[in-house]
Amino acid sequence: MTRPSTPPILSELRSPTSPATQVAALRALKNELVGHEQKKEMWVGLGVVAPLTRILNTHKGGGKKRHRNANGTSDRVGRSQPRTDEEEARMQAVIIVGSLANGGPAYIPPLSAGSVFPPLLSALCPTESSPQLVLAALRSLNTVADSVCLSCSDADTSEGSLMKELYTDHHLASLSQILEQSSVALVTQQQICLAAALITKTCKEESQRKVLASSGVLDALAIRLASFIVATRGPPSALDAQDDMGTADISVATTRSRLSSILQAIATIISNSKLRTTRFACASAFATVFPRSEADPYSWRAPYSRLSKRLPSHNSLDNLLPSLSSSQFRDGLSQTSNFPPLGAHGGWGSKQRSSRGFSSALEITPTEVFSGSEEDETPLITWLIHVIRAESDVTRLMASWVLTLLYRAGLANRRREAGLAMLLVPLLVRMLASDYRLPLDTPPSYDNSALHRPEWLIMEHAPTVLAMLVVDSIDLQRAAVDAGAIKRLSQLLKQSFDPLPSASASLLWRPTPHVSNGGDSTDSSSVSQLGVTGFSPEAYHVLQMRESVLSALASMATFKDEYRKAIIDNGVVPFVIHSLKPQTKEFTNAFCDTSATSEKTSSVGNPTSVLLAACGTARALSRSVSTLRTSLVDAGLAVPLYTLLKNRDIEVQVAATAVICNLVLEFSPMREAIIEAGILKVLCEHAHSLNAKLRLNSVWALKHLVHTATNSLKMKCLEELGPGWLKQIICSDVEDLGFSLGHRSGEKESSGGTPIAMGTPNAAGEQVDLLNAVEEETTGSSEGADEEEDEEVHMVDSIGALSKIDTIHKKRVFFENSKIATHRHATGLESDFEAAAQARMDDILIQEQGLNFIRNLICGQDATEMIDYIFRELGQDKLFEILASKLRPKVVDAFNRDRRSAGNAVKHIPPQQEILTSVCYILVHLAAGSPRHRQLLISQAELLKLVVPLFSHHSAEVRTCCAWIVINLTYTDDQSDKVHCKTRAYELRKLGVYEKLEELESDPELDVRERTHTAIHQMKELLR
């Protein structure tokens, strides 16, 4: 048999006889490939990628700058000019690459191995390439990004991959130039839309969001958004004189412009960061279209009074919003929930927005509106609400996304919640309806990707936006439930488990079996071998929708048991359990084989993102005693969770451990079974993890596990955890570490939430006080820190219930102008603030749970034995020393002489309230032990001196604890202890405790007064 000869087309591409014949060969190859999957595979196998890379690399930079005019737009836009053979060859090669990438994820490995992406990205530069070539490159890159999304594995960041190559300074600068173009030509508007779409598809990691913000891409997107604002506000003649200042610098968007892609790219970049969101809101483009009046610095603000009555305002956007009656919403305000949201400690919106934080009076006087910075609101909020009301489909959804991010970042007036409940929430819920149809007059998108069908985007993103909006607000949750959100979300979750239809584009027959290198080969053959087939678009959409719906259901169950019951009554628990099953070896075959028959998606497992969302839903539902004892135990929740505790993904372990915190509570019917399965050893191993979130959740779960447990189990738990390790996690203070590291090179340790130096220089070499940094949350997955701030169960001990943990105070920052925001970012403070704030929060939470772990060890029956055991294992003097150190204020920069001045020599940071509460409860339990333990505690004079000021603490819980300490110290077990009890009473009086108790007799809190009366009565009896 003769060996097949090389096709003439390939020979011409490898050794072109002339530029014209090369272009002809490329056109012939393009015509063969488009729409023909079998020929695509054949040509890749023949080695066509290498010639394509060579052709793409033939361009020499700087050759097309003559086509650019002064304002950066192309001279050739709007009129046709013949392309040279070199340009035409590059154009055809770019189109061919896009056609190959359209074949699916299997074609990405050979393209990456053939180094196609660097020259393809080089074609993006609008000053180097013609507009048509830039547009073709953007289309091909978007196709590549779609195929990367369909890959069964995570996004490839290896050398030569699209993600690795795109996020460099040179190519991001090209994206910025594309977005900043002011031409209204169709090709330019298509470029802008596709550039924004490329950002949305490729920006998946926090590091990528940061570099997009710092490289100018976010500012360029702000300019594009400002052009739509100018178009909305009408011609200059309709504006006030002050509103017309500077708008000439912003081009006006036309009907060719696409707002949805701009909004989606902006939301993608600013997600999970208050600093980036604030920086975006303070962009100079918005300062241009929303100028402030010098006479009234607050004149640019949005019309808050639209919720009740109209007030005079200088903002021409006022007339865009309706006047809403607040009577129907007022009754729902000012209700207090016993349980704060799950995201209160780690979600990036950890500052609670529940109704208790809002006044019930919606009528706002001018004084209230303009009284201070706390009421500041960017006028962008008003405009976005107008867009949501005026637009439809994807544009409405993306505007809702950006508005939600601004709202959660604290850039909306706090009374805006009523308007969101009446205007935004019902619209989002309506999008979830099965009969929701897109308007017929919707302008076509320039991105024709199958993954970005408008109806798919809505089903994938609307639940996520709704979840972010309502998670911390009981009033917004009520509005969503009243609109029917739970029923619609439950239907969507069930729908995601329906059998997938057979792929419409099944694999064609081939004479030889398909061999995949799985993307792992690094030899020369990898450029001619296909990778794994990847997801079908339908399967990818189903998994995206499942993740989004699970997150929305979790957000609905953060407060009320009735909402949890409603979710369970809709029959979603079995589907949540199925969503907890990780992908197996059959996962790829079932989801990624386009020739496979219909199969139910629950039988093949779920990717990591779905596992995380399912854990969040299970955690929310397990907060209810009734559901934990019935529906969840019947569905077998414990089995898949125990498997996830050993998952190879650390984030999955964090999320699963957060759910275990609820399953090991005293009333949980799964508690004994989980203990027998060996949960104690697993949790203790996780408590030693380098990941701060995993350490936190593990110690939190151990705290619940030892509560009401037998002494033998408590001792085994402490032995497995390690007394030395327990002391380490309680004593390792970020501030203390800063004293020892603050004057070194400023290096930061790299683990999830590990401490960093608190007095180190920032990127600009400036000394920064990071202890009081703006506290910003990180995303991802904040399962550990956002675990319940308070447990649904009230842990009853000798002094009553352990009430909820107060939210760690976070500062709201609203930069006065874009210069401040830009300067803070340029000096590198963003990363410093993020790392320092998160490290400090993680540190405080872990210390708090470690102290609560000790508290639960020494409470309950036979507590005397456990107190002696704790003294032996931790060291009696060492324990009292640790407790005293937690009550002392932290001294900042005490050893930094360079920063000392007459006005700022030493800074004292008071202990966190959560730490104070935990320490006081330990002292209460020690005082509740035997008389010997009381005598030991009263002898700790220095420790008790630190307790005395806490009688005047602003927290009622701390004051109550102090009264309980006195009650237990002055309690007489029997006559033999009466003499020692009198001695303790005299010692307390010497410390000034009696005077403090007298002050508490008129305390506003009933519980404090009652405990105080008991303490005073006992002391009077002993002191008479």
Side-chain angles (χ1 to χ4, degrees), residues 417-464:
E417 186 170 301
L420 297 180
M422 287 185 280
L423 291 177
L424 179 56
V425 173
L427 290 176
L428 289 174
V429 176
R430 182 185 171 191
M431 291 182 183
L432 304 177
S434 57
D435 58 348
Y436 182 76
R437 295 291 181 268
L438 298 177
L440 298 177
D441 58 348
T442 301
S445 172
Y446 298 135
D447 181 12
N448 298 320
S449 166
L451 295 182
H452 288 74
R453 302 174 190 173
E455 58 272 18
W456 281 12
L457 283 177
I458 290 174
M459 291 298 103
E460 293 171 10
H461 290 279
T464 300

Side-chain angles (χ1 to χ4, degrees), residues 497 572-584 602 605-607 610-612 614-619 631-649 651-660 663 670 673-674 677 679 682 686:
F497 285 89
V572 303
V573 172
F575 299 95
V576 174
I577 302 301
H578 283 307
S579 300
L580 291 170
K581 296 179 180 179
Q583 61 189 43
T584 59
S602 61
N606 302 273
V610 176
L611 295 178
L612 296 176
C615 285
T617 306
R619 185 184 67 225
S631 304
L632 296 182
V633 66
D634 294 340
L637 175 62
V639 176
L641 277 176
Y642 192 82
T643 303
L644 294 181
L645 288 175
K646 301 179 181 180
N647 192 281
R648 62 182 180 180
D649 192 298
E651 294 298 332
V652 175
Q653 294 180 23
V654 171
T657 309
V659 188
I660 293 295
L663 301 189
M670 293 175 260
I674 292 177
I679 192 66
V682 176
H686 287 178

Side-chain angles (χ1 to χ4, degrees), residues 775-786:
E775 304 210 350
E776 176 183 6
E777 301 71 32
T778 62
T779 195
S781 168
S782 51
E783 319 301 332
D786 72 359

Side-chain angles (χ1 to χ4, degrees), residues 323-622:
S323 180
L324 301 178
S325 172
S326 62
S327 58
Q328 57 180 309
F329 195 74
R330 184 182 306 165
D331 295 337
L333 290 176
S334 300
Q335 295 185 12
T336 302
S337 169
N338 290 327
F339 307 106
L342 291 173
H345 270 323
W348 87 286
S350 60
K351 181 163 183 177
Q352 297 184 36
R353 288 189 173 273
S354 61
S355 58
R356 57 189 162 194
F358 296 83
S359 170
S360 59
L362 290 179
E363 291 77 10
I364 305 175
T365 64
T367 303
E368 287 176 305
V369 172
F370 306 125
S371 59
S373 61
E374 186 178 353
E375 302 295 334
D376 282 351
E377 179 181 89
T378 167
L380 196 56
I381 298 288
T382 308
W383 182 80
L384 287 171
I385 293 178
H386 164 69
V387 171
I388 292 168
R389 295 183 64 249
E391 297 292 338
S392 58
D393 60 80
V394 179
T395 303
R396 168 181 288 173
L397 176 61
M398 297 309 162
S400 302
W401 190 3
V402 176
L403 174 62
T404 300
L405 293 174
L406 293 172
Y407 167 72
R408 292 188 60 80
L411 301 180
N413 180 268
R414 63 180 184 176
R415 301 182 189 274
R416 178 68 72 182
E417 186 170 301
L420 297 180
M422 287 185 280
L423 291 177
L424 179 56
V425 173
L427 290 176
L428 289 174
V429 176
R430 182 185 171 191
M431 291 182 183
L432 304 177
S434 57
D435 58 348
Y436 182 76
R437 295 291 181 268
L438 298 177
L440 298 177
D441 58 348
T442 301
S445 172
Y446 298 135
D447 181 12
N448 298 320
S449 166
L451 295 182
H452 288 74
R453 302 174 190 173
E455 58 272 18
W456 281 12
L457 283 177
I458 290 174
M459 291 298 103
E460 293 171 10
H461 290 279
T464 300
V465 175
L466 182 64
M468 287 190 296
L469 182 64
V470 308
V471 64
D472 291 337
S473 171
I474 191 173
D475 297 308
L476 292 179
Q477 288 178 19
R478 183 186 303 111
V481 173
D482 291 344
I486 291 179
K487 181 179 179 180
R488 293 179 180 179
L489 289 170
S490 301
Q491 292 172 347
L492 288 177
L493 180 60
K494 297 174 184 178
Q495 180 182 331
S496 71
F497 285 89
D498 289 342
L500 291 175
S502 299
S504 57
S506 58
L507 292 176
L508 299 177
W509 176 87
R510 58 176 60 84
T512 58
H514 169 68
V515 178
S516 170
N517 66 357
D520 298 329
S521 177
T522 56
D523 56 24
S524 58
S525 64
S526 63
V527 75
S528 58
Q529 275 191 331
L530 299 185
V532 295
T533 307
F535 291 110
S536 67
E538 292 78 9
Y540 179 80
H541 163 66
V542 162
L543 293 175
Q544 291 290 105
M545 183 178 69
R546 184 182 302 172
E547 174 193 353
S548 181
V549 170
L550 286 168
S551 299
L553 287 173
S555 70
M556 297 290 173
T558 54
F559 285 104
K560 288 195 169 185
D561 258 356
E562 62 181 281
Y563 297 162
R564 300 185 190 108
K565 186 177 184 301
I567 293 173
I568 292 173
D569 289 345
N570 276 273
V572 303
V573 172
F575 299 95
V576 174
I577 302 301
H578 283 307
S579 300
L580 291 170
K581 296 179 180 179
Q583 61 189 43
T584 59
K585 291 183 179 179
E586 291 79 16
F587 178 82
T588 300
N589 296 331
F591 261 152
C592 301
D593 189 355
T594 56
S595 62
T597 58
S598 300
E599 183 167 357
K600 198 150 186 168
T601 61
S602 61
S603 62
V604 294
N606 302 273
T608 299
S609 58
V610 176
L611 295 178
L612 296 176
C615 285
T617 306
R619 185 184 67 225
L621 295 178
S622 63

Side-chain angles (χ1 to χ4, degrees), residues 703 791 793-796 800-804 852 855 921 957:
K703 175 196 74 174
E791 298 77 17
V793 59
H794 284 270
M795 297 164 49
V796 181
L802 169 62
S803 65
K804 62 180 178 291
N852 286 336
R855 171 196 172 181
Y921 275 127
E957 187 174 9

